[in-house]
Amino acid sequence: MNDVSDISQVSNEEPLEILKHPDPRLRERAKPVRRVNRNLRRLIERMAKTMYEADGIGLAGPQVGVMERLFVVDIGEGLKEFINPEILEASEEQVELWEGCLSIPGLRGLVPRPSRVRVTALDRHGRRFWVDADGWLARVIQHEYDHLEGVLFLDRALRVVEVPPESRLRVVFFGTSPFAGTVLERMLEREVTPLLVVTQPDRPRGRGQAPAPTPVKRLALEHELDVAAPTRLRDAAFVERLKALEPDVIVTAAYGRILPEDVLAVPKRAAVNVHASLLPRWRGAAPIQRALMAGDERTGVTILHMSAELDAGDIILQKEAPIEPDDDFGSLHEKLAELGAEALLEALRLIAKGEAPRRPQDAEGVTLAPPLRPEEEWIDWTRPAVEVRNHIRALTPWPGARCLHGAELWKIARTELAAAGEVRGGEPGEIVAVRPERGFAVACGQGALWVTELQPAGRRRMRASDFLNGHRLEPGERLSSGAPGDEDA
Ligand code: GNR
Ligand code: NI
């Protein structure tokens, strides 16, 4: 924020009302300013305040009912006023750009204009100045000058389109994981640009375990968005910063922390969460993993209002998705992130139009999806093959489903159920068949699994057939679970 806008914030001038098309005053030609005096300086200050509060980059007298030749501009380089401006020269070269106008909310138009103009005007002290403007400054000066002539961008536009209502919402986004990254990316593609992106502080990540930004932070910085990574959400300075943004909506997606009530109370319209299950099934931090582990064949996403109780708020909308037998955490996570983004954008449109429904969750059918505990990363071969397989799906590719082959840590990445009678016998964890082109079969508490992909100790993930190419494995060898406390092996 620049100095001038700060002055306008402390000034006690009231903002003015912005006239909206088709108000006839927007079609009149403005009269020259007669005197540059204190009254005019106060008017300039009020116009600046009006422009800043409306998030505009320019404002002309007629837009606030002042039929005088005067406008203010701030394209982020400070406030500049133009009194009795004249356009002395305009370039032959034209550029087409999308324009909006505070007097025509909800529409924008593709307007060709000279790319450069030479302008003269008086400043607030009545002193004459000249500017050679290009880029956005040239654009805005011409747009404002048009207002003084009673001309609107609609008159010059090659095309006029509606601005999607959701892109006009003031949004603060809270998110951390890749799921949240996908949601944010889709929001940005649809021009729903958060005023602020809140994420978790940098943490040791990846192989090197050096502190690294979250996927959401990286994306936000790429798009030059403001980012906050507070360690404490209750921190008064953070809550004040949020309030100052006057958001309509708070969106959370896989943020990884519960928002305190005083944060939930900040947005004017709603605080909503993108949750990766069909609530009330799988409330909690690990809905995708728990759905896979349970062998669910359908799941989906829910957009809900946040409440004090975790994932228990009223539902705005849900979208279903099948869980395919070959889905694992990686594939399902991606599908649900896309579906969640789609559902969120639909919900934001409804919120923007004031049409978002609110449906309390069913009291029946509540299940909980607590985060994975480290000991759950071990494969328990004594369970039925179907359950072992689902467990592995839920842990693949991250953090990986572990077992021990002797003292070596293996991660099992992909399996197929052995057909009835295809392999027989064996204690749970015992390798009961080896087929170099397919993989190897492991006995479970009931039935057996063909391991078709794995990540052996210190190596990358590979097909079991490739592994067997260079590694002897004999029926009778055993896979086991780690002893409790071995999680960090
Ligand atoms: O805020 C505004 N944005 C803008 C974007 C592209 C081209 C011109 C403008 S000016 C506009 C404010 C306004 O309506 N000024 O008259
Ligand atoms: Ni305008």
Side-chain angles (χ1 to χ4, degrees):
M1 190 104 354
N2 59 60
D3 297 346
V4 180
S5 67
D6 290 344
I7 290 168
S8 75
Q9 306 260 313
V10 299
S11 105
N12 40 28
E13 302 288 352
E14 277 294 299
L16 296 149
E17 189 196 337
I18 298 176
L19 303 183
K20 302 285 153 50
H21 174 68
D23 190 300
R25 281 168 290 181
L26 293 170
R27 293 316 203 162
E28 282 174 34
R29 188 164 189 277
K31 302 263 176 344
V33 170
R34 314 271 308 244
R35 266 188 207 88
V36 181
N37 54 19
R38 272 189 57 203
N39 275 341
L40 192 76
R41 283 189 281 276
R42 276 189 49 194
L43 174 62
I44 288 167
E45 203 168 295
R46 283 185 84 179
M47 285 177 60
K49 178 150 192 169
T50 308
M51 172 180 75
Y52 290 126
E53 291 206 351
D55 283 324
I57 57 177
L59 187 74
Q63 289 182 280
V64 289
V66 175
M67 304 312 298
E68 298 188 41
R69 302 186 76 77
L70 147 80
F71 59 78
V72 291
V73 167
D74 187 345
I75 58 163
E77 297 169 356
L79 181 69
K80 191 70 206 154
E81 66 282 5
F82 292 74
I83 300 164
N84 294 340
E86 297 297 338
I87 296 182
L88 303 172
E89 255 181 77
S91 62
E92 289 278 322
E93 186 196 30
Q94 303 232 339
V95 278
E96 292 171 9
L97 280 174
W98 288 94
E99 288 190 18
C101 180
L102 295 175
S103 295
I104 314 170
L107 293 182
R108 65 184 158 212
L110 186 61
V111 182
R113 295 190 189 272
S115 56
R116 280 164 283 120
V117 287
R118 157 161 270 253
V119 184
T120 182
L122 302 180
D123 70 10
R124 72 189 79 181
H125 306 294
R127 287 194 284 253
R128 180 158 299 281
F129 66 93
W130 288 263
V131 275
D132 287 305
D134 60 6
W136 277 105
L137 184 59
R139 169 77 37 173
V140 181
I141 287 173
Q142 295 176 77
H143 175 114
E144 303 312 337
Y145 190 88
D146 272 354
H147 276 301
L148 305 183
E149 297 294 309
V151 172
L152 300 175
F153 80 74
L154 299 175
D155 310 333
R156 300 192 184 275
L158 304 172
R159 277 198 283 152
V160 175
V161 297
E162 275 183 40
V163 179
E166 63 274 21
S167 75
R168 298 170 62 196
L169 287 173
R170 298 176 64 84
V171 175
V172 174
F173 181 84
F174 287 69
T176 299
S177 74
F179 182 92
T182 298
V183 172
L184 178 58
E185 209 166 357
R186 298 295 167 264
M187 286 169 67
L188 296 174
E189 283 168 9
R190 296 266 287 268
E191 296 183 61
V192 180
T193 309
L195 306 164
L196 176 67
V197 171
V198 185
T199 190
Q200 300 235 20
D202 296 2
R203 278 225 212 93
R205 274 166 229 275
R207 285 189 152 260
Q209 290 291 296
T214 67
V216 164
K217 182 171 171 184
R218 266 190 286 121
L219 180 65
L221 293 178
E222 268 170 38
H223 288 263
E224 303 187 336
L225 303 176
D226 283 344
V227 177
T231 47
R232 270 176 48 85
L233 290 176
R234 284 166 207 283
D235 185 66
F238 176 71
V239 177
E240 284 314 307
R241 181 175 180 191
L242 274 187
K243 281 187 187 156
L245 292 171
E246 299 190 33
D248 297 312
V249 181
I250 282 179
V251 172
T252 68
Y255 173 55
R257 271 197 263 173
I258 294 174
L259 304 201
E261 299 244 19
D262 41 342
V263 169
L264 294 182
V266 171
K268 289 196 195 83
R269 303 250 187 141
V272 301
N273 180 226
V274 185
H275 186 82
S277 78
L278 295 174
L279 291 168
R281 192 164 172 78
W282 305 128
R283 287 180 184 172
I288 303 175
Q289 293 94 327
R290 297 298 172 191
L292 284 163
M293 270 186 203
D296 289 1
E297 290 178 3
R298 60 186 268 282
T299 185
V301 295
T302 302
I303 311 300
L304 75 160
H305 289 276
M306 279 183 272
S307 61
E309 195 186 338
L310 183 63
D311 299 329
D314 293 347
I315 292 173
I316 298 175
L317 64 87
Q318 296 186 301
K319 285 183 185 284
E320 282 194 34
I323 301 181
E324 307 293 347
D326 270 347
D327 271 325
D328 59 17
F329 177 73
S331 66
L332 189 56
H333 173 276
E334 261 172 52
K335 288 186 208 171
L336 293 181
E338 296 295 350
L339 194 64
E342 210 179 291
L344 173 68
L345 286 161
E346 222 172 289
L348 289 175
R349 177 163 295 189
L350 292 171
I351 290 168
K353 298 205 287 189
E355 294 170 3
R358 221 177 214 282
R359 183 167 55 82
Q361 293 186 26
D362 281 346
E364 267 166 59
V366 175
T367 60
L368 299 183
L372 297 186
R373 297 180 306 274
E375 64 269 25
E376 288 182 284
E377 292 175 24
W378 292 105
I379 297 169
D380 179 358
W381 298 106
T382 67
R383 294 170 65 194
V386 177
E387 292 179 20
V388 174
R389 181 169 193 275
N390 289 338
H391 194 90
I392 293 167
R393 292 163 73 207
L395 289 159
T396 305
W398 187 87
R402 303 154 168 240
C403 61
L404 291 173
H405 177 247
E408 279 183 11
L409 178 71
W410 286 7
K411 290 181 177 177
I412 307 299
R414 191 174 287 281
T415 66
E416 292 168 14
L417 286 174
E422 190 180 3
V423 291
R424 49 183 75 241
E427 294 291 311
E430 188 179 335
I431 290 164
V432 286
V434 178
R435 275 213 233 140
E437 76 294 349
R438 183 176 189 190
F440 53 89
V442 185
C444 299
Q446 239 174 67
L449 285 179
W450 285 99
V451 172
T452 57
E453 279 183 49
L454 75 163
Q455 184 179 359
R459 303 183 59 187
R460 50 179 59 244
R461 178 170 162 178
M462 61 182 77
R463 292 167 174 304
S465 55
D466 292 334
F467 174 69
L468 291 171
N469 221 342
H471 195 287
R472 279 178 68 98
L473 202 61
E474 301 286 350
E477 290 181 39
R478 300 290 296 261
L479 299 178
S480 60
S481 298
D486 280 359
E487 292 81 43
D488 298 321

